[in-house]
Amino acid sequence: MALIGCRQTADTGPVVVSAIGSRPVLTDPTRRAMDTPTRLLIDAVAQGLVRFDAAGQIESGLAERWIVTDQGTSYIFRLREARWADGRAVTAEQVVARLRRQLAPPSRNPLKPFLTAIDEIVVMTPQVIEVRLSRPRPDLLKLFAQPEMAIARGTAPGSGPLRPVVGNLLRPVPDPGRVDPNRLDSVDAAEDVRLVGGRAALAVARFVAGKADLVAGGTFADWPLAQAARPAATQLRVDPAVGLFGLAIVRREGFLAQPANRLAIAQAIDRAAVTTAVAPLWLPDEQLLPHQLDAAAPPLPPGWAGLSLEQRRATARQRVVAWGRLVDLRIALPSGPGATRLWGQLARSLLLIGITPQRVAMSEAADLRLVDAVAPYDSARWYLATACQPCGEEAQAAVDAARDAPTSAERAQRLTEADAAVAADIPFIAIARPLRWSLVSPRLRAWQPNTRAWHPLNRLRIDPTS
């Protein structure tokens, strides 16, 4: 594996992407959760109104341009000329019907709870649609750029920008509006993408053997495998991902029924030891919100932030002793060597205050469950709602009030109040920010780290701005 830094993949033939997860399948985003390989596939073959570019910024998808009017409560999109895989034209009526389906019961789209401000989606002209909101949502485009909002026709390919050819091979869809007309019929094999899914160890092995140009979807759980390959510094890339990484209190019974006891667990964890055990440069974090975002004030640090670890653990140990009974907690974690390293440090922290922890799988019943999620958009609302799994009544009411605020100014104030309410309720124990990594071949010149940790398959080799 040490030879990986010297191996150079020739810039010929399809780009091979080895995504960590299950085999990628064309699926209906309203019907099932999607892992990294399937999200990459859906994003590639069934774009939404807008998309993320290589830097994680918004670029056009089915919409060639858009405007925001009525103080942020109306988004008007003009559609570009596009065709389904069978050659038929994409119509405004079809786009509206599919967007409505994403938001209506029984859709299981995970973004639906964050799109409740949408009142109506209507066809204005054969080329123009409007999304009408009850409340301003400045981050709406970032939600629409997610693969979960792809304009798909069930399990059939959409409008591109790539299209399945044979098996797992994807080919760019010629676009008269974006490509030199003289190149519409030409095909460069180096513009094709071959997408495969599989276990992290297999993905890393493919890259080491020069059989893959990109390993996508790496998390903290698989980080030790990437390290073991000893890649060159230019090949092991880490995204500045934003989001949540910590323990959700999923069973508020017994010892965990009292906020003071949930606080004891938060105080006891040695976050620096946890992150260092997994990845030495991974920084710990104590706060739910990474910074102010769209709230009216910066998030307050936890009240124990100024105490030493020894002081925090002494207080936590007193809470366990005062409980007067044995405390056993089940902690749900994913598989993988990184998760095992994390478990070792979490277990040590809890044992030192008198709690007996038990590791269980993510699919099993648990008292605490790891949340490792990249934020789809930049709002305190996502962090607060995601942390509430569940919240107490007062905290949940505060989060709901922020969701329903009629103006941006009132929403900002309500978000600050919700942050304080959730901090007092302690439904979530922050540990760090998500760790996302990729192995990247030198031929992928357009690959860029970004806060979404998202790397579209059509933006790996070709930078449209260059």
Side-chain angles (χ1 to χ4, degrees), residues 33-352:
M34 302 186 295
D35 63 0
T36 296
T38 293
R39 292 183 84 237
L40 283 169
L41 177 62
I42 295 295
D43 178 73
V45 305
Q47 63 194 333
L49 289 171
V50 293
R51 301 171 47 78
F52 287 122
D53 65 12
Q57 302 300 311
I58 298 297
E59 68 173 1
S60 62
L62 278 173
E64 63 180 1
R65 58 182 182 273
W66 52 89
I67 59 172
V68 183
T69 64
D70 293 343
Q71 298 180 321
T73 60
S74 172
Y75 283 71
I76 299 174
F77 298 89
R78 174 169 288 277
L79 304 181
R80 65 181 179 85
E81 179 184 345
R83 297 191 174 275
W84 300 110
D86 61 10
R88 289 184 292 177
V90 176
T91 68
E93 289 82 1
Q94 292 169 332
V95 172
V96 166
R98 280 153 181 79
L99 286 174
R100 288 174 178 171
R101 188 165 179 264
Q102 296 278 25
L103 305 177
S107 171
R108 297 172 59 188
N109 193 319
L111 298 181
K112 189 167 67 169
F114 305 103
L115 294 165
T116 57
I118 295 178
D119 262 351
E120 200 174 9
I121 306 174
V122 298
V123 176
M124 299 182 71
T125 76
Q127 291 81 36
V128 178
I129 71 171
E130 181 184 13
V131 179
R132 299 170 182 168
L133 309 178
S134 60
R135 310 175 289 276
R137 286 294 178 268
D139 279 323
L140 184 68
L141 293 180
K142 291 177 183 176
L143 286 167
F144 275 10
Q146 299 289 334
E148 287 77 8
M149 295 303 293
I151 307 299
R153 295 189 300 168
T155 58
S159 61
L162 303 177
R163 188 157 293 160
V165 181
V166 178
N168 57 5
L169 184 68
L170 307 174
R171 179 159 294 162
V173 177
D175 184 345
R178 301 180 181 181
V179 180
D180 182 348
N182 296 323
R183 294 191 61 218
L184 285 177
D185 297 326
S186 65
V187 176
D188 181 354
E191 295 180 16
D192 291 346
V193 176
R194 190 177 300 280
L195 175 63
V196 297
R199 295 179 295 108
L202 181 58
V204 172
R206 285 195 188 105
F207 190 88
V208 169
K211 296 181 179 179
D213 302 290
L214 174 68
V215 174
T219 71
F220 86 101
D222 310 310
W223 174 262
L225 298 175
Q227 278 190 313
R230 297 186 184 178
T234 56
Q235 293 178 327
L236 180 55
R237 310 291 294 276
V238 177
D239 284 294
V242 295
L244 288 177
F245 185 93
L247 298 173
I249 312 294
V250 294
R251 181 175 167 271
R252 297 162 72 99
E253 300 174 7
F255 183 78
L256 296 177
Q258 299 179 15
N261 292 344
R262 300 195 289 271
L263 175 63
I265 296 173
Q267 289 178 309
I269 295 175
D270 185 346
R271 289 162 178 77
V274 168
T275 56
T276 301
V278 178
L281 298 181
W282 189 18
L283 298 178
D285 205 332
E286 300 169 344
Q287 297 182 166
L288 178 65
L289 301 182
H291 48 84
Q292 185 169 334
L293 296 171
D294 51 350
L300 294 174
W304 46 264
L307 301 178
S308 68
L309 179 60
E310 291 73 20
Q311 290 172 318
R312 287 158 35 196
R313 282 180 170 166
T315 301
R317 196 176 298 111
Q318 290 174 3
R319 289 298 309 177
V320 176
V321 171
W323 180 248
R325 283 164 278 172
L326 294 176
V327 180
D328 300 309
L329 295 178
R330 295 164 298 173
I331 303 178
L333 299 175
S335 59
T340 298
R341 293 183 183 182
L342 178 141
W343 162 248
Q345 292 300 322
L346 286 179
R348 181 176 185 275
S349 290
L350 295 180
L351 287 168
L352 286 174

